[in-house]
C-alpha cells in the first residue's frame, strides 16, 4: 500500500469558503433585487429606484430594501390595486420563489472559491 502525504491548510480553506460565501450572498441578493424590481408597484418609479442591496461582511448576510415612506404599506397592504404584473409582497414572493436559485448562486461561489 502506498501512502501520500497530505497537507491540510484549514485556515486557507476557511478563508476561501468565506470569500466565496460572501460573493454568493451578494449575487443572491442582487438576483432577488432584480426579480423584485420587476414586481414592485410602479407609478412614477420612485419606489423601484429606492431599492438597494446591503451586505454585512462580518455576518455574511445581505438585505434587499426599498426606502420610501410608503414602501412597507405597498408591500404589506393586500387591498391596494396595482398595474398588471405588479403586486404587494414584491419582496416576500420573489424570495420564496427564487430561494433555490439564490441558494445555488451561493453554493456555486463557495465551490468556485474552494477549487481555486
Amino acid at each position: 500500500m502506498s501512502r501520500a502525504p497530505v497537507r491540510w491548510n484549514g485556515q486557507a480553506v476557511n478563508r476561501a469558503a468565506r470569500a466565496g460565501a460572501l460573493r454568493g450572498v451578494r449575487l443572491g441578493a442582487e438576483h432577488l433585487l432584480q426579480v423584485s424590481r420587476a414586481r414592485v408597484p410602479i407609478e412614477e418609479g420612485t419606489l423601484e429606484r429606492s431599492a438597494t442591496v446591503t451586505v454585512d461582511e462580518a455576518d455574511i448576510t445581505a438585505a434587499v430594501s426599498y426606502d420610501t415612506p410608503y414602501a412597507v404599506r405597498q408591500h404589506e397592504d393586500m387591498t391596494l390595486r396595482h398595474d398588471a404584473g405588479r403586486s404587494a409582497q414584491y419582496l416576500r414572493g420573489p424570495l420564496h420563489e427564487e430561494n433555490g436559485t439564490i441558494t445555488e448562486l451561493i453554493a456555486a461561489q463557495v465551490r468556485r472559491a474552494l477549487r481555486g
Side-chain angles (χ1 to χ4, degrees), residues 18-116:
R18 188 175 201 296
L22 193 55
R23 274 193 311 276
V25 164
R26 182 178 302 281
L27 288 172
E30 292 289 345
H31 175 74
L32 176 59
L33 176 68
Q34 178 184 5
V35 174
S36 71
R37 274 189 165 155
R39 200 175 297 180
V40 70
I42 193 164
E43 190 166 315
E44 297 173 1
T46 305
L47 181 58
E48 181 183 7
R49 286 191 304 273
S50 76
T52 188
V53 168
T54 52
V55 177
D56 183 334
E57 293 187 11
D59 292 334
I60 313 178
T61 59
V64 176
S65 59
Y66 287 81
D67 187 22
T68 65
Y70 49 86
V72 172
R73 179 160 187 239
Q74 287 288 333
H75 189 270
E76 297 299 322
D77 191 341
M78 301 297 283
T79 65
L80 296 177
R81 293 181 180 207
H82 303 291
D83 294 341
R86 305 297 179 150
S87 66
Q89 305 292 302
Y90 52 86
L91 268 174
R92 183 175 294 143
L95 177 61
H96 291 294
E97 294 159 16
E98 299 296 319
N99 184 44
T101 300
I102 293 167
T103 302
E104 183 51 40
L105 286 167
I106 296 167
Q109 289 303 310
V110 172
R111 284 191 302 270
R112 182 177 177 203
L114 292 176
R115 277 189 232 129

